[in-house]
Amino acid sequence: MAPKGKVYRGSVKDFPGFNASQDADALYNAMKGFGSDKDAILDLITSRSNKQRVEICQAYKSQYGKDLIADLKYELTGKFERLIVSLMRPPAYSDAKEIKDAIAGIGTDEKCLIEILASRTNQEIHDLVAAYKDAYERDLEADIVGDTSGHFKKMLVVLLQGAREEDDVVSEDLVEQDAKDLLEAGEQKWGTDEAQFIFILGRRSKQHLRMVFDEYLKISGKPIERSIRGELSGDFEKLMLAVVKCVRSTAEYFAERLYKAMKGLGTRDNTLIRIMVSRSEIDMLDIREVFRTKYEKSLHNMIKEDTSGEYKKALLKLCGGDDDAAGEFFPEAAQVAYRMWELSAVAKVELRGTVQPADNFNDDGDAQVLRKAMKGLGTDEGAIIEVLTQRSNAQRQQILKAYKAHYGRDLMADLKSELSGSLAKLILGLMLTPAQYDAKQLRKAVEGAGTDESTLIEIMATRNNQEIAAINEAYQQAYHKSLEDDLSSDTSGHFKRILVSLALGNRDEGPENLAQAQEDAKVVAETLKLADVASNDSSDSLETRFLSILCTRSYPHLRRVFQEFIKMTNHDVEHAIRKRMSGDVRDAFVAIVRSVKNKPAFFADKLYKSMKGAGTDERTLTRIMISRSEIDLLNIRGEFIDLFDKSLHHMIEKDTSGDYRKALLALCGGDD
């Protein structure tokens, strides 16, 4: 069933000892009389390959003079009927039916068109076009052209030609040229040259495009997906993103589609059925691997939780097994994870804030605007927000001095008396230097009853040596105590040791050392008690070395350590820490790992969690928006939309209100 020389990765195989005539009899008996034996039907049909099912249809017609698909439609109902009937059609005819349904009647199911045409091989596209013509006596391209428009239509027509290059011999010169052409067609052009995107993404081979995407990341500092989101829009944007995802990994694309079909309230059953049927004899094992690695749960488990009855039983049979063993990679998934660390090491990502120094800055003029906004009856919050969110922190410090010199008054005191609630906390936070602000947040986290461990972890695990040194100085100046002493007196055990180690600001700043990284990976593996690594050191000694590695090694070195850890154990270090540690110690180490992996993604995740669900964690939202606005908030915005398919701007707009929302949106700096 697999092409010659390739390992078969489907979950459904040819049934051994297959007999079409006997199976036709079994299905006839399962449907005759009053009611039908649904379990017998699903067991038989999900255990046969598509080729065998087609033979069963022919045998059924010969033996009983009846159409098996028509009988199945009559006997079964609902989602279960749709699934079983889809399994009986040859793949090309199944795709043809899905596309016909997607464009029939009022409205078009663009997501279905995108999924099928972005993911199929040249041969599958040719078979689909022929099947559509045979089944409906219509031309597929003409129907697509009649039902779609613009650049979306143009790209669909290109994909319908099934003419993607298939040569795996790649020219490095052409790779560089294509990456440059894509950059010039989008990011570096006023407007976008969509034709260039259509030509390159619609025609080049997958192997070639993977190298183009890597080159694009190197020369632009951002993944191609982010540029597509910024430059394109609507269904055309969704189609091009689907093409990119399928080029990178078709299995990952379908894993994501399956996850989105089942997450949240309600299930998108049409999508679930279409993917489970169409991929069951192609790459379902790969999809399962990616699914579990990416979502930390098995596809089997999610189907089990999200569906019911015979429908569930049939889907689970197509799934072909349960992979629930969190943190452990399959061989293929381990290779993907290993390459991910490699790519993160070579990518030259420019960190970019949303707040820049204002042009033609006039500190005295700004001081006058602020005084006028607070003088007399009522306060002009809009004017305060407009000035203070559009100035860099250094400029705000100059405004503080100018205000004092001009009016003999303390601007911070005036702002505190005029503003209130969340807006006051945000504006006053912006007026402190970054080190003063972090010191104040840390002080709040340790003073009074209870400790805010989450804030301690967020700040201490993500600041560099220079930032830590400045925080220590600001803390001593403001509170006449050392930060280290307060952390020591307010925390305990390994958590205290982690925080104190980070507070020293002694992280190495050099490059990776491969030999040392291999030794460090061994210590990490031994500490996490993975079955295939034996320990010769005492538990306490291992934990001390583990802590030292995570808290003092440079980021480039730690990337290599985590990569070597995958090679050594077949596990992901973050998953392993989550599984084998607990409480604040676990959370601190996970924050360090995630910060090393992708710091903007770490903050994007924290921002998302501060706003999702009922209620908003305004302290976290305010803290991150202030502290990252001049460092990497643009990068965080990019990661936010990559991770959650919605913009940070949109989520702030939906989740906050009034002047607080205005100020946050000003800091956010735009909608993606």
Side-chain angles (χ1 to χ4, degrees), residues 147-195:
D147 211 64
T148 57
S149 61
H151 297 299
F152 179 57
K153 173 179 74 177
K154 288 176 189 169
M155 185 61 177
L156 289 176
V157 169
V158 167
L159 294 174
L160 269 173
Q161 306 314 303
R164 185 176 296 286
E165 294 162 358
E166 294 181 327
D167 187 0
D168 282 344
V169 178
V170 177
S171 157
E172 287 185 18
D173 289 344
L174 187 56
V175 164
E176 288 177 17
Q177 188 59 51
D178 279 353
K180 189 163 165 273
D181 287 348
L182 285 172
L183 188 60
E184 288 173 356
E187 294 282 339
Q188 294 178 353
K189 187 179 177 70
W190 182 261
T192 306
D193 182 359
E194 289 87 353

Side-chain angles (χ1 to χ4, degrees), residues 561-607:
V561 172
F562 301 152
Q563 197 173 23
E564 292 302 313
F565 178 85
I566 292 169
K567 193 192 289 184
M568 188 180 295
T569 67
N570 217 38
H571 280 69
D572 170 68
V573 70
E574 183 185 333
H575 288 185
I577 289 169
R578 286 184 190 279
K579 191 174 180 184
R580 290 164 173 80
M581 295 184 169
S582 60
D584 301 324
V585 171
R586 174 200 62 207
D587 295 343
F589 283 139
V590 164
I592 293 169
V593 171
R594 297 192 68 197
S595 193
V596 170
K597 186 184 285 185
N598 185 334
K599 198 178 286 185
F602 169 77
F603 284 114
D605 184 57
K606 286 205 57 99
L607 283 170

Side-chain angles (χ1 to χ4, degrees), residues 99-159:
I99 286 187
K100 186 76 170 83
D101 290 347
I103 58 180
I106 299 167
T108 306
D109 181 355
E110 290 86 1
K111 286 181 179 175
C112 174
L113 296 181
I114 290 168
E115 180 196 299
I116 292 174
L117 295 180
S119 66
R120 300 316 192 239
T121 65
N122 286 347
Q123 189 56 55
E124 287 166 343
I125 293 285
H126 297 154
D127 293 344
L128 160 61
V129 170
Y132 193 91
K133 185 79 170 173
D134 181 51
Y136 306 110
E137 297 180 350
R138 296 178 65 87
D139 181 71
L140 177 53
E141 184 179 324
D143 280 1
I144 293 280
V145 166
D147 211 64
T148 57
S149 61
H151 297 299
F152 179 57
K153 173 179 74 177
K154 288 176 189 169
M155 185 61 177
L156 289 176
V157 169
V158 167
L159 294 174

Side-chain angles (χ1 to χ4, degrees), residues 481-646:
K481 292 184 75 174
S482 81
L483 173 60
E484 185 183 331
D485 286 347
D486 272 2
L487 291 172
S488 294
S489 63
D490 209 64
T491 56
S492 61
H494 288 306
F495 184 51
K496 175 172 81 174
R497 290 170 63 195
I498 295 167
L499 293 176
V500 168
S501 179
L502 293 170
L504 296 174
N506 280 339
R507 190 176 289 287
D508 296 337
E509 294 181 340
E512 67 177 65
N513 175 323
L514 180 57
Q516 184 62 58
Q518 288 167 341
E519 272 302 305
D520 288 347
K522 189 165 181 277
V523 171
V524 172
E526 289 174 349
T527 308
L528 293 172
K529 298 180 174 65
L530 291 170
D532 52 350
V533 183
S535 169
N536 297 318
D537 290 334
S538 71
S539 170
D540 194 52
S541 166
L542 276 173
E543 285 163 359
T544 300
R545 288 169 66 195
F546 178 84
L547 190 150
S548 175
I549 289 164
L550 265 70
C551 295
T552 67
R553 301 287 196 251
S554 73
Y555 274 22
H557 181 81
L558 282 173
R559 284 192 187 98
R560 176 60 65 183
V561 172
F562 301 152
Q563 197 173 23
E564 292 302 313
F565 178 85
I566 292 169
K567 193 192 289 184
M568 188 180 295
T569 67
N570 217 38
H571 280 69
D572 170 68
V573 70
E574 183 185 333
H575 288 185
I577 289 169
R578 286 184 190 279
K579 191 174 180 184
R580 290 164 173 80
M581 295 184 169
S582 60
D584 301 324
V585 171
R586 174 200 62 207
D587 295 343
F589 283 139
V590 164
I592 293 169
V593 171
R594 297 192 68 197
S595 193
V596 170
K597 186 184 285 185
N598 185 334
K599 198 178 286 185
F602 169 77
F603 284 114
D605 184 57
K606 286 205 57 99
L607 283 170
Y608 179 75
K609 285 174 179 167
S610 76
M611 292 182 278
K612 77 165 187 173
T616 304
D617 177 0
E618 289 182 351
R619 286 183 66 180
T620 298
L621 178 56
T622 301
R623 186 173 60 248
I624 295 174
M625 295 297 290
I626 289 173
S627 65
R628 310 315 293 184
S629 59
E630 289 184 56
I631 299 173
D632 56 0
L633 193 50
L634 266 177
N635 306 78
I636 291 167
R637 273 171 38 185
E639 294 295 338
F640 197 97
I641 202 162
D642 286 350
L643 290 166
F644 307 112
D645 279 338
K646 58 180 74 178

Side-chain angles (χ1 to χ4, degrees), residues 7-186:
V7 177
Y8 180 67
R9 300 296 291 163
S11 53
V12 175
K13 302 179 174 69
D14 283 336
F15 187 74
F18 170 67
N19 185 310
S21 179
Q22 285 177 8
D23 285 350
D25 282 342
L27 287 171
Y28 180 77
N29 289 328
M31 291 187 283
K32 76 176 182 183
F34 187 69
S36 55
D37 186 346
K38 295 181 180 64
D39 280 339
I41 293 168
L42 81 86
D43 278 339
L44 192 149
I45 288 174
T46 58
S47 302
R48 306 299 187 266
S49 67
N50 187 269
K51 178 172 160 290
Q52 291 174 333
R53 291 183 212 119
V54 170
E55 289 183 46
I56 295 168
C57 281
Q58 291 163 352
Y60 194 90
K61 186 82 167 177
S62 299
Q63 287 161 226
Y64 301 104
K66 301 179 75 169
D67 185 299
L68 176 54
I69 290 180
D71 280 2
L72 288 167
K73 277 184 179 176
Y74 180 78
E75 291 291 332
L76 309 177
T77 58
K79 297 172 283 195
F80 179 53
E81 177 249 311
R82 287 210 305 277
L83 174 60
I84 293 297
V85 167
S86 292
L87 285 168
M88 301 309 296
R89 295 190 184 100
Y93 285 83
S94 190
D95 279 351
K97 172 83 166 61
E98 291 291 328
I99 286 187
K100 186 76 170 83
D101 290 347
I103 58 180
I106 299 167
T108 306
D109 181 355
E110 290 86 1
K111 286 181 179 175
C112 174
L113 296 181
I114 290 168
E115 180 196 299
I116 292 174
L117 295 180
S119 66
R120 300 316 192 239
T121 65
N122 286 347
Q123 189 56 55
E124 287 166 343
I125 293 285
H126 297 154
D127 293 344
L128 160 61
V129 170
Y132 193 91
K133 185 79 170 173
D134 181 51
Y136 306 110
E137 297 180 350
R138 296 178 65 87
D139 181 71
L140 177 53
E141 184 179 324
D143 280 1
I144 293 280
V145 166
D147 211 64
T148 57
S149 61
H151 297 299
F152 179 57
K153 173 179 74 177
K154 288 176 189 169
M155 185 61 177
L156 289 176
V157 169
V158 167
L159 294 174
L160 269 173
Q161 306 314 303
R164 185 176 296 286
E165 294 162 358
E166 294 181 327
D167 187 0
D168 282 344
V169 178
V170 177
S171 157
E172 287 185 18
D173 289 344
L174 187 56
V175 164
E176 288 177 17
Q177 188 59 51
D178 279 353
K180 189 163 165 273
D181 287 348
L182 285 172
L183 188 60
E184 288 173 356

